Amino acid sequence: MTSTILFKSVSGLFLVLALFVTTEARAETVVLACVGAEVTEFEPGITNDAKPTHISAVGTHGCAGLPLNLPSAIATTEADGILGCGFGQATSTIHIQWSDDTVSIVSGTTLVNAKPAGETVVVLTGTVVSGRFLGATVVRTLTLLNTDVLGCFTAQGVTDVAGPVTLVVTKLL
């Protein structure tokens, strides 16, 4: 009977270790730099007065780095915060669909800062909270070109902008 209990205990320990090793084997280093373009919509449109705003965005990216088998990604962003034409902060969720059909879900903070030439620089910093590259750091930088420069002064505000985007995902094991 003692040998049966010992056998079961050792077997259980090996099972736990096997699961741990299997989980660790799936972890992977990621150092990806992606560039592309994004279209962003604001609801309601942003004006010179900051107010609660919902952001929806879609961006396409070409990627290079590690792992080598991810040449592209599509990122969709949903965010809510207090935004105006020149400033703001929001809580964001990014859904990254990698070219191999894996997904990373990123949660983070978005900071908005207007520049003198009429462009708006948006920087999202966050962490992968679900899916591929769990725990990786993500920095997403958008330079959104406002073609409706006077839109900030209207009641409707600026409802959509577009421009270049970079996406950097890193996690070293």
Side-chain angles (χ1 to χ4, degrees):
M1 177 151 145
T2 304
S3 62
T4 303
I5 293 172
L6 180 60
F7 175 76
K8 287 180 180 179
S9 297
V10 171
S11 297
L13 177 62
F14 281 123
L15 177 62
V16 169
L17 287 174
L19 290 173
F20 177 75
V21 169
T22 302
T23 301
E24 285 301 309
R26 290 186 199 166
E28 62 186 312
T29 293
V30 58
V31 181
L32 283 172
C34 307
V35 295
E38 179 163 305
V39 174
T40 302
E41 296 179 349
F42 304 105
E43 179 59 41
I46 57 173
T47 63
N48 287 321
D49 296 321
K51 61 185 171 290
T53 306
H54 179 76
I55 304 168
S56 297
V58 176
T60 58
H61 306 79
C63 301
L66 295 175
L68 296 173
N69 65 336
L70 295 177
S72 64
I74 296 173
T76 56
T77 304
E78 297 292 330
D80 289 290
I82 306 296
L83 299 177
C85 281
F87 51 89
Q89 184 171 343
T91 301
S92 306
T93 301
I94 301 175
H95 179 274
I96 305 170
Q97 177 78 40
W98 300 104
S99 53
D100 67 353
D101 288 329
T102 58
V103 174
S104 297
I105 306 296
V106 179
S107 181
T109 302
T110 297
L111 296 176
V112 178
N113 185 3
K115 299 297 178 190
E119 73 274 18
T120 301
V121 177
V122 179
V123 178
L124 179 137
T125 54
T127 303
V128 176
V129 295
S130 177
R132 188 163 192 185
F133 309 128
L134 184 65
T137 299
V138 175
V139 177
R140 198 148 180 257
T141 305
L142 299 85
T143 303
L144 301 172
L145 308 174
N146 180 5
T147 56
D148 182 11
V149 180
L150 297 178
C152 293
F153 298 94
T154 67
Q156 179 184 357
V158 176
T159 57
D160 56 273
V161 289
V165 60
T166 62
L167 171 69
V168 177
V169 182
T170 56
K171 181 178 182 183
L172 302 175
L173 296 180

Coordinates of all heavy atoms in Angstrom, one line a residue, residues 60-150:
T60 N -3.4 48.0 -41.0 CA -2.7 46.9 -41.6 C -1.2 47.2 -41.5 O -0.7 48.3 -41.6 CB -3.1 46.7 -43.1 OG1 -2.8 47.9 -43.8 CG2 -4.6 46.4 -43.2
H61 N -0.4 46.1 -41.3 CA 1.0 46.2 -41.0 C 1.8 45.1 -41.8 O 1.4 44.0 -41.9 CB 1.3 46.0 -39.5 CG 0.5 46.8 -38.6 ND1 -0.8 46.6 -38.3 CD2 0.8 48.0 -37.9 CE1 -1.3 47.5 -37.5 NE2 -0.3 48.4 -37.2
G62 N 3.0 45.5 -42.2 CA 4.0 44.6 -42.7 C 5.0 44.5 -41.5 O 5.4 45.5 -40.9
C63 N 5.4 43.3 -41.2 CA 6.2 43.0 -40.0 C 7.6 42.4 -40.4 O 7.7 41.6 -41.3 CB 5.5 42.1 -39.0 SG 3.9 42.8 -38.5
A64 N 8.6 42.7 -39.5 CA 9.9 42.0 -39.7 C 10.4 41.8 -38.3 O 10.1 42.5 -37.3 CB 10.8 42.9 -40.4
G65 N 11.2 40.7 -38.1 CA 11.8 40.4 -36.8 C 11.5 38.9 -36.5 O 11.4 38.1 -37.3
L66 N 11.5 38.7 -35.1 CA 11.3 37.3 -34.7 C 9.9 37.2 -34.0 O 9.5 38.1 -33.3 CB 12.3 36.9 -33.6 CG 13.8 36.9 -34.1 CD1 14.7 36.6 -33.0 CD2 13.9 35.8 -35.2
P67 N 9.2 36.1 -34.2 CA 9.5 35.0 -35.1 C 9.4 35.4 -36.6 O 8.7 36.3 -37.0 CB 8.4 34.0 -34.8 CG 7.3 34.7 -34.2 CD 7.9 35.9 -33.6
L68 N 10.1 34.6 -37.4 CA 10.3 35.0 -38.8 C 9.0 34.7 -39.6 O 8.9 35.3 -40.7 CB 11.4 34.1 -39.4 CG 12.8 34.4 -38.8 CD1 13.8 33.4 -39.4 CD2 13.2 35.8 -39.1
N69 N 8.1 33.9 -39.1 CA 6.9 33.5 -39.9 C 5.7 34.4 -39.8 O 4.6 34.0 -40.1 CB 6.5 32.1 -39.5 CG 6.0 32.0 -38.1 OD1 6.4 32.8 -37.3 ND2 5.2 31.0 -37.8
L70 N 5.9 35.7 -39.4 CA 4.8 36.6 -39.2 C 5.1 37.9 -40.1 O 5.5 38.9 -39.6 CB 4.6 37.0 -37.8 CG 4.2 35.9 -36.8 CD1 4.1 36.4 -35.4 CD2 2.9 35.3 -37.3
P71 N 4.8 37.8 -41.4 CA 5.1 38.9 -42.3 C 4.1 40.1 -42.2 O 4.4 41.2 -42.7 CB 5.2 38.3 -43.7 CG 4.2 37.1 -43.6 CD 4.4 36.6 -42.1
S72 N 2.9 39.8 -41.6 CA 1.9 40.9 -41.6 C 0.9 40.7 -40.4 O 0.9 39.6 -39.8 CB 1.2 40.9 -42.9 OG 0.5 39.7 -43.1
A73 N 0.2 41.7 -40.2 CA -0.8 41.7 -39.1 C -1.9 42.7 -39.4 O -1.7 43.7 -40.1 CB -0.2 42.0 -37.8
I74 N -3.1 42.5 -38.9 CA -4.2 43.5 -38.9 C -4.6 43.7 -37.5 O -4.8 42.8 -36.7 CB -5.4 42.9 -39.7 CG1 -5.0 42.7 -41.2 CG2 -6.6 43.9 -39.6 CD1 -6.1 42.0 -42.0
A75 N -4.6 45.0 -37.1 CA -4.9 45.4 -35.7 C -6.1 46.2 -35.7 O -6.3 47.2 -36.5 CB -3.7 46.2 -35.2
T76 N -7.1 45.8 -34.9 CA -8.3 46.6 -34.6 C -8.2 47.2 -33.2 O -7.8 46.4 -32.3 CB -9.5 45.8 -34.9 OG1 -9.5 44.7 -34.0 CG2 -9.7 45.4 -36.3
T77 N -8.5 48.4 -33.0 CA -8.5 49.0 -31.7 C -9.8 49.6 -31.3 O -10.5 50.2 -32.1 CB -7.4 50.2 -31.7 OG1 -6.2 49.7 -32.1 CG2 -7.3 50.8 -30.3
E78 N -10.2 49.4 -30.1 CA -11.3 50.0 -29.4 C -10.8 50.7 -28.2 O -10.1 50.1 -27.4 CB -12.4 49.0 -29.1 CG -13.0 48.3 -30.3 CD -13.8 49.1 -31.2 OE1 -14.4 50.1 -30.7 OE2 -13.8 48.8 -32.4
A79 N -11.2 52.0 -28.0 CA -10.7 52.7 -26.8 C -11.8 53.7 -26.4 O -12.7 54.1 -27.2 CB -9.5 53.5 -27.2
D80 N -11.8 54.0 -25.1 CA -12.7 55.0 -24.5 C -11.9 55.9 -23.6 O -11.1 55.4 -22.8 CB -13.8 54.3 -23.7 CG -14.8 53.6 -24.7 OD1 -15.5 54.3 -25.4 OD2 -14.8 52.4 -24.7
G81 N -12.1 57.2 -23.7 CA -11.4 58.1 -22.8 C -11.9 59.5 -23.0 O -12.9 59.8 -23.7
I82 N -11.2 60.5 -22.4 CA -11.5 61.9 -22.5 C -10.5 62.5 -23.6 O -9.3 62.5 -23.4 CB -11.3 62.6 -21.2 CG1 -12.1 61.9 -20.1 CG2 -11.6 64.1 -21.3 CD1 -13.6 62.0 -20.3
L83 N -11.1 62.9 -24.7 CA -10.3 63.3 -25.8 C -10.7 64.7 -26.4 O -11.9 65.0 -26.4 CB -10.3 62.3 -27.0 CG -9.8 60.9 -26.7 CD1 -10.1 60.1 -28.0 CD2 -8.4 60.9 -26.4
G84 N -9.7 65.4 -26.8 CA -10.0 66.7 -27.6 C -9.0 66.7 -28.7 O -8.2 65.8 -28.9
C85 N -9.1 67.7 -29.6 CA -8.3 67.8 -30.8 C -6.8 67.8 -30.4 O -5.9 67.3 -31.2 CB -8.6 69.0 -31.6 SG -10.1 68.7 -32.6
G86 N -6.4 68.4 -29.3 CA -5.0 68.5 -29.0 C -4.4 67.6 -27.9 O -3.2 67.6 -27.7
F87 N -5.3 66.9 -27.3 CA -4.8 66.1 -26.1 C -5.9 65.1 -25.7 O -7.0 65.1 -26.2 CB -4.6 67.1 -24.9 CG -5.8 67.9 -24.7 CD1 -6.8 67.5 -23.8 CD2 -6.0 69.2 -25.3 CE1 -8.0 68.3 -23.6 CE2 -7.1 70.0 -25.1 CZ -8.1 69.5 -24.3
G88 N -5.4 64.2 -24.9 CA -6.4 63.2 -24.4 C -5.7 61.9 -23.9 O -4.5 61.7 -24.1
Q89 N -6.5 61.1 -23.2 CA -6.0 59.8 -22.7 C -7.2 58.9 -22.8 O -8.3 59.2 -22.5 CB -5.5 60.0 -21.3 CG -4.9 58.7 -20.8 CD -4.2 58.9 -19.5 OE1 -3.8 60.0 -19.1 NE2 -3.9 57.8 -18.8
A90 N -6.9 57.6 -23.1 CA -8.0 56.6 -23.2 C -7.4 55.3 -22.8 O -6.2 55.0 -22.8 CB -8.5 56.5 -24.6
T91 N -8.3 54.4 -22.4 CA -8.0 53.0 -22.1 C -8.3 52.2 -23.3 O -9.4 52.4 -23.9 CB -8.8 52.5 -20.9 OG1 -8.5 53.3 -19.8 CG2 -8.5 51.0 -20.6
S92 N -7.4 51.4 -23.8 CA -7.5 50.8 -25.1 C -7.4 49.3 -25.1 O -6.7 48.7 -24.2 CB -6.4 51.3 -26.1 OG -6.4 52.7 -26.1
T93 N -8.0 48.6 -26.0 CA -7.9 47.2 -26.3 C -7.6 47.0 -27.8 O -8.3 47.5 -28.6 CB -9.1 46.4 -25.9 OG1 -9.4 46.6 -24.5 CG2 -8.9 44.9 -26.2
I94 N -6.5 46.3 -28.1 CA -6.1 46.1 -29.4 C -6.2 44.6 -29.7 O -5.7 43.8 -28.9 CB -4.6 46.5 -29.7 CG1 -4.4 48.0 -29.5 CG2 -4.3 46.2 -31.2 CD1 -3.0 48.4 -29.6
H95 N -6.8 44.2 -30.8 CA -6.9 42.8 -31.2 C -6.0 42.7 -32.4 O -6.3 43.3 -33.5 CB -8.4 42.6 -31.6 CG -8.7 41.2 -32.1 ND1 -8.5 40.8 -33.4 CD2 -9.1 40.1 -31.5 CE1 -8.8 39.6 -33.6 NE2 -9.2 39.1 -32.4
I96 N -4.9 42.0 -32.3 CA -3.9 41.8 -33.4 C -4.1 40.4 -34.0 O -3.9 39.4 -33.3 CB -2.5 42.0 -32.9 CG1 -2.3 43.3 -32.2 CG2 -1.5 41.8 -34.1 CD1 -1.0 43.5 -31.5
Q97 N -4.5 40.4 -35.3 CA -4.7 39.1 -36.0 C -3.4 39.0 -36.8 O -3.1 39.7 -37.8 CB -5.9 39.2 -36.9 CG -6.1 38.0 -37.8 CD -6.7 36.8 -37.1 OE1 -7.6 37.0 -36.2 NE2 -6.2 35.6 -37.3
W98 N -2.5 38.0 -36.4 CA -1.3 37.8 -37.1 C -1.5 37.0 -38.4 O -2.6 36.3 -38.6 CB -0.3 37.0 -36.2 CG 0.0 37.8 -35.0 CD1 -0.5 37.5 -33.7 CD2 0.9 38.9 -34.9 NE1 0.0 38.5 -32.8 CE2 0.9 39.3 -33.5 CE3 1.6 39.7 -35.8 CZ2 1.6 40.4 -33.0 CZ3 2.3 40.8 -35.3 CH2 2.3 41.1 -34.0
S99 N -0.6 37.0 -39.3 CA -0.7 36.4 -40.6 C -0.9 34.9 -40.6 O -1.3 34.3 -41.5 CB 0.4 36.8 -41.6 OG 1.6 36.5 -41.0
D100 N -0.5 34.3 -39.5 CA -0.6 32.8 -39.3 C -1.9 32.5 -38.6 O -2.1 31.4 -38.1 CB 0.6 32.2 -38.6 CG 0.7 32.6 -37.2 OD1 -0.1 33.5 -36.7 OD2 1.6 32.1 -36.5
D101 N -2.9 33.4 -38.5 CA -4.2 33.3 -37.9 C -4.1 33.1 -36.3 O -5.1 32.8 -35.7 CB -5.0 32.1 -38.4 CG -5.5 32.4 -39.9 OD1 -5.7 33.6 -40.1 OD2 -5.6 31.5 -40.7
T102 N -3.0 33.4 -35.7 CA -3.0 33.5 -34.2 C -3.4 35.0 -33.9 O -3.4 35.9 -34.7 CB -1.6 33.2 -33.7 OG1 -0.6 34.1 -34.2 CG2 -1.2 31.7 -34.0
V103 N -3.7 35.1 -32.6 CA -4.3 36.4 -32.1 C -3.6 36.8 -30.9 O -3.3 36.0 -30.0 CB -5.8 36.3 -31.9 CG1 -6.3 37.6 -31.3 CG2 -6.5 36.0 -33.2
S104 N -3.3 38.1 -30.7 CA -2.9 38.7 -29.5 C -3.9 39.8 -29.1 O -4.3 40.6 -29.9 CB -1.5 39.4 -29.6 OG -0.5 38.5 -30.0
I105 N -4.3 39.8 -27.8 CA -5.1 40.8 -27.2 C -4.3 41.7 -26.3 O -3.7 41.2 -25.4 CB -6.3 40.2 -26.5 CG1 -7.1 39.2 -27.3 CG2 -7.2 41.3 -26.0 CD1 -7.7 39.8 -28.6
V106 N -4.3 43.0 -26.6 CA -3.4 43.9 -25.8 C -4.3 44.9 -25.1 O -5.3 45.4 -25.6 CB -2.6 44.7 -26.8 CG1 -1.7 45.7 -26.0 CG2 -1.7 43.8 -27.7
S107 N -4.0 45.1 -23.8 CA -4.7 46.1 -23.0 C -3.7 47.2 -22.6 O -2.5 46.9 -22.3 CB -5.2 45.5 -21.8 OG -5.9 46.4 -21.0
G108 N -4.1 48.5 -22.8 CA -3.1 49.5 -22.5 C -3.8 50.9 -22.4 O -5.0 51.0 -22.3
T109 N -2.9 51.9 -22.4 CA -3.3 53.3 -22.3 C -2.9 54.0 -23.6 O -1.8 53.8 -24.1 CB -2.6 53.9 -21.1 OG1 -2.9 53.2 -19.9 CG2 -3.0 55.4 -20.9
T110 N -3.7 54.9 -24.0 CA -3.5 55.7 -25.2 C -3.3 57.1 -24.8 O -4.2 57.6 -24.1 CB -4.6 55.5 -26.2 OG1 -4.7 54.2 -26.7 CG2 -4.4 56.4 -27.4
L111 N -2.2 57.7 -25.3 CA -2.1 59.2 -25.1 C -2.1 59.9 -26.4 O -1.5 59.4 -27.4 CB -0.7 59.4 -24.4 CG -0.5 58.9 -23.0 CD1 0.9 59.1 -22.5 CD2 -1.6 59.5 -22.0
V112 N -2.8 61.0 -26.5 CA -3.0 61.8 -27.7 C -2.3 63.1 -27.5 O -2.5 63.8 -26.5 CB -4.5 62.0 -28.0 CG1 -4.7 62.8 -29.3 CG2 -5.2 60.6 -28.1
N113 N -1.5 63.5 -28.6 CA -0.8 64.8 -28.5 C -0.8 65.4 -29.9 O -0.4 64.8 -30.8 CB 0.6 64.6 -28.0 CG 1.4 65.8 -27.8 OD1 0.8 66.9 -27.9 ND2 2.6 65.7 -27.4
A114 N -1.4 66.6 -30.0 CA -1.4 67.3 -31.3 C -0.1 68.0 -31.6 O 0.6 68.4 -30.6 CB -2.5 68.3 -31.3
K115 N 0.3 68.1 -32.8 CA 1.5 68.7 -33.3 C 1.2 69.9 -34.1 O 0.1 70.0 -34.7 CB 2.4 67.7 -34.0 CG 2.8 66.5 -33.2 CD 3.6 66.9 -32.0 CE 4.0 65.7 -31.2 NZ 4.6 66.0 -30.0
P116 N 2.1 70.9 -34.3 CA 1.8 72.1 -34.9 C 1.4 72.0 -36.4 O 0.7 72.8 -36.9 CB 3.2 72.9 -34.8 CG 4.0 72.1 -33.9 CD 3.4 70.8 -33.7
A117 N 1.9 71.0 -37.1 CA 1.5 70.9 -38.5 C 0.1 70.3 -38.8 O -0.2 69.9 -39.9 CB 2.6 70.0 -39.2
G118 N -0.6 70.1 -37.7 CA -2.0 69.5 -37.9 C -2.1 68.0 -37.7 O -3.2 67.5 -37.7
E119 N -1.0 67.4 -37.5 CA -1.1 65.9 -37.3 C -1.3 65.6 -35.8 O -0.9 66.5 -34.9 CB 0.2 65.2 -37.8 CG 1.4 65.4 -37.0 CD 2.3 66.6 -37.3 OE1 1.7 67.6 -38.0 OE2 3.4 66.7 -36.9
T120 N -1.8 64.5 -35.5 CA -2.0 64.1 -34.1 C -1.2 62.8 -33.9 O -1.3 61.8 -34.7 CB -3.5 63.8 -33.9 OG1 -4.3 65.0 -34.1 CG2 -3.7 63.3 -32.4
V121 N -0.4 62.8 -32.9 CA 0.5 61.7 -32.6 C -0.2 60.9 -31.4 O -0.5 61.5 -30.4 CB 1.9 62.0 -32.2 CG1 2.7 60.8 -31.8 CG2 2.6 62.8 -33.4
V122 N -0.5 59.6 -31.7 CA -1.2 58.8 -30.7 C -0.2 57.7 -30.3 O 0.3 57.0 -31.2 CB -2.5 58.2 -31.3 CG1 -3.1 57.3 -30.3 CG2 -3.4 59.3 -31.7
V123 N 0.1 57.5 -29.0 CA 1.0 56.4 -28.6 C 0.2 55.5 -27.6 O -0.3 56.0 -26.6 CB 2.2 57.0 -27.9 CG1 3.1 55.9 -27.4 CG2 3.0 57.9 -28.8
L124 N 0.1 54.3 -27.9 CA -0.5 53.3 -27.1 C 0.7 52.4 -26.5 O 1.5 51.9 -27.2 CB -1.4 52.4 -27.8 CG -2.1 51.3 -26.9 CD1 -3.5 51.2 -27.2 CD2 -1.4 50.0 -27.0
T125 N 0.7 52.3 -25.2 CA 1.6 51.3 -24.5 C 0.7 50.3 -23.8 O -0.2 50.7 -23.1 CB 2.5 52.1 -23.6 OG1 1.8 52.8 -22.6 CG2 3.5 53.0 -24.3
G126 N 1.1 49.1 -23.9 CA 0.3 48.1 -23.3 C 1.0 46.7 -23.2 O 2.2 46.6 -23.5
T127 N 0.2 45.7 -22.8 CA 0.8 44.4 -22.5 C -0.2 43.4 -23.2 O -1.4 43.6 -23.1 CB 0.9 44.1 -21.0 OG1 1.7 45.1 -20.5 CG2 1.5 42.7 -20.8
V128 N 0.3 42.4 -23.8 CA -0.5 41.3 -24.3 C -1.1 40.6 -23.1 O -0.4 40.0 -22.3 CB 0.3 40.3 -25.2 CG1 -0.6 39.2 -25.7 CG2 0.9 41.1 -26.4
V129 N -2.4 40.6 -23.0 CA -3.1 40.0 -21.9 C -3.8 38.6 -22.2 O -4.2 37.9 -21.3 CB -4.2 40.9 -21.3 CG1 -3.5 42.2 -20.7 CG2 -5.2 41.3 -22.3
S130 N -3.8 38.3 -23.5 CA -4.4 37.1 -23.9 C -3.9 36.7 -25.3 O -3.6 37.6 -26.1 CB -5.9 37.3 -24.0 OG -6.6 36.1 -24.4
G131 N -3.8 35.4 -25.5 CA -3.4 34.9 -26.9 C -1.9 34.8 -27.0 O -1.1 34.7 -26.1
R132 N -1.5 34.9 -28.3 CA -0.1 34.7 -28.6 C 0.8 35.9 -28.0 O 0.3 37.0 -28.0 CB 0.1 34.7 -30.1 CG 1.5 34.4 -30.5 CD 1.6 33.9 -32.0 NE 2.9 33.3 -32.3 CZ 3.2 33.0 -33.5 NH1 2.4 33.2 -34.5 NH2 4.4 32.4 -33.6
F133 N 2.0 35.5 -27.6 CA 2.9 36.5 -27.0 C 2.4 37.0 -25.6 O 2.7 38.2 -25.3 CB 3.3 37.6 -27.9 CG 3.7 37.2 -29.3 CD1 3.1 37.7 -30.4 CD2 4.7 36.2 -29.5 CE1 3.5 37.3 -31.7 CE2 5.1 35.8 -30.7 CZ 4.5 36.3 -31.8
L134 N 1.7 36.2 -24.9 CA 1.2 36.6 -23.5 C 2.3 37.3 -22.7 O 3.4 36.7 -22.6 CB 0.7 35.4 -22.8 CG 0.0 35.7 -21.5 CD1 -1.2 36.5 -21.6 CD2 -0.4 34.4 -20.8
G135 N 2.1 38.4 -22.2 CA 3.0 39.2 -21.4 C 4.0 40.1 -22.1 O 4.7 40.8 -21.5
A136 N 3.9 40.0 -23.5 CA 4.8 40.9 -24.3 C 4.4 42.4 -24.1 O 3.2 42.7 -23.9 CB 4.8 40.5 -25.7
T137 N 5.4 43.2 -24.3 CA 5.2 44.7 -24.3 C 4.8 45.1 -25.7 O 5.5 44.7 -26.6 CB 6.4 45.4 -23.8 OG1 6.7 44.9 -22.4 CG2 6.2 46.9 -23.8
V138 N 3.9 46.0 -25.8 CA 3.4 46.5 -27.1 C 3.5 48.1 -27.0 O 3.0 48.7 -26.1 CB 2.0 46.1 -27.4 CG1 1.5 46.7 -28.7 CG2 2.0 44.5 -27.5
V139 N 4.1 48.7 -28.1 CA 4.1 50.1 -28.2 C 3.6 50.4 -29.7 O 4.2 49.9 -30.6 CB 5.5 50.7 -28.0 CG1 5.4 52.2 -28.3 CG2 6.0 50.4 -26.6
R140 N 2.6 51.1 -29.7 CA 1.9 51.5 -31.0 C 1.9 53.0 -31.2 O 1.4 53.7 -30.4 CB 0.5 50.9 -31.0 CG 0.0 50.8 -32.4 CD -1.0 49.6 -32.4 NE -1.5 49.5 -33.7 CZ -2.7 49.8 -34.0 NH1 -3.6 50.3 -33.1 NH2 -3.1 49.8 -35.3
T141 N 2.5 53.5 -32.3 CA 2.6 54.9 -32.5 C 1.9 55.2 -33.8 O 2.3 54.7 -34.9 CB 4.1 55.4 -32.5 OG1 4.7 54.9 -31.3 CG2 4.2 56.9 -32.6
L142 N 1.0 56.2 -33.8 CA 0.3 56.6 -35.0 C 0.5 58.1 -35.2 O 0.5 58.8 -34.3 CB -1.2 56.4 -34.8 CG -1.7 55.0 -34.6 CD1 -1.7 54.6 -33.1 CD2 -3.1 54.9 -35.1
T143 N 0.7 58.4 -36.4 CA 0.7 59.8 -36.8 C -0.5 60.0 -37.7 O -0.5 59.7 -38.9 CB 2.0 60.2 -37.6 OG1 3.1 59.8 -36.7 CG2 2.1 61.7 -37.9
L144 N -1.6 60.6 -37.1 CA -2.8 60.7 -37.8 C -2.9 62.1 -38.4 O -2.8 63.1 -37.7 CB -4.0 60.4 -36.8 CG -3.9 59.0 -36.2 CD1 -5.0 58.9 -35.1 CD2 -4.1 58.0 -37.2
L145 N -3.1 62.1 -39.7 CA -3.2 63.3 -40.5 C -4.6 63.9 -40.6 O -5.5 63.2 -41.1 CB -2.6 63.1 -41.9 CG -1.2 62.4 -41.9 CD1 -0.8 62.1 -43.3 CD2 -0.2 63.3 -41.1
N146 N -4.8 65.0 -40.0 CA -6.2 65.6 -40.0 C -6.3 66.5 -41.2 O -5.7 67.6 -41.3 CB -6.3 66.4 -38.7 CG -7.7 67.1 -38.6 OD1 -8.5 66.9 -39.5 ND2 -7.9 67.9 -37.6
T147 N -7.1 66.0 -42.1 CA -7.3 66.8 -43.4 C -8.4 67.8 -43.2 O -8.6 68.7 -44.1 CB -7.7 65.8 -44.5 OG1 -8.8 65.1 -44.2 CG2 -6.5 64.9 -44.9
D148 N -9.1 67.8 -42.1 CA -10.1 68.8 -41.8 C -9.7 69.6 -40.6 O -10.1 69.6 -39.5 CB -11.4 68.0 -41.4 CG -12.6 69.0 -41.1 OD1 -12.5 70.2 -41.4 OD2 -13.6 68.5 -40.6
V149 N -8.7 70.5 -40.9 CA -8.0 71.3 -39.9 C -9.0 72.2 -39.1 O -8.9 72.4 -37.9 CB -6.9 72.2 -40.5 CG1 -6.2 73.0 -39.5 CG2 -5.9 71.3 -41.3
L150 N -10.1 72.7 -39.8 CA -11.0 73.5 -39.1 C -12.1 72.7 -38.3 O -12.9 73.2 -37.6 CB -11.7 74.5 -40.1 CG -10.7 75.5 -40.7 CD1 -11.4 76.4 -41.7 CD2 -10.0 76.3 -39.7

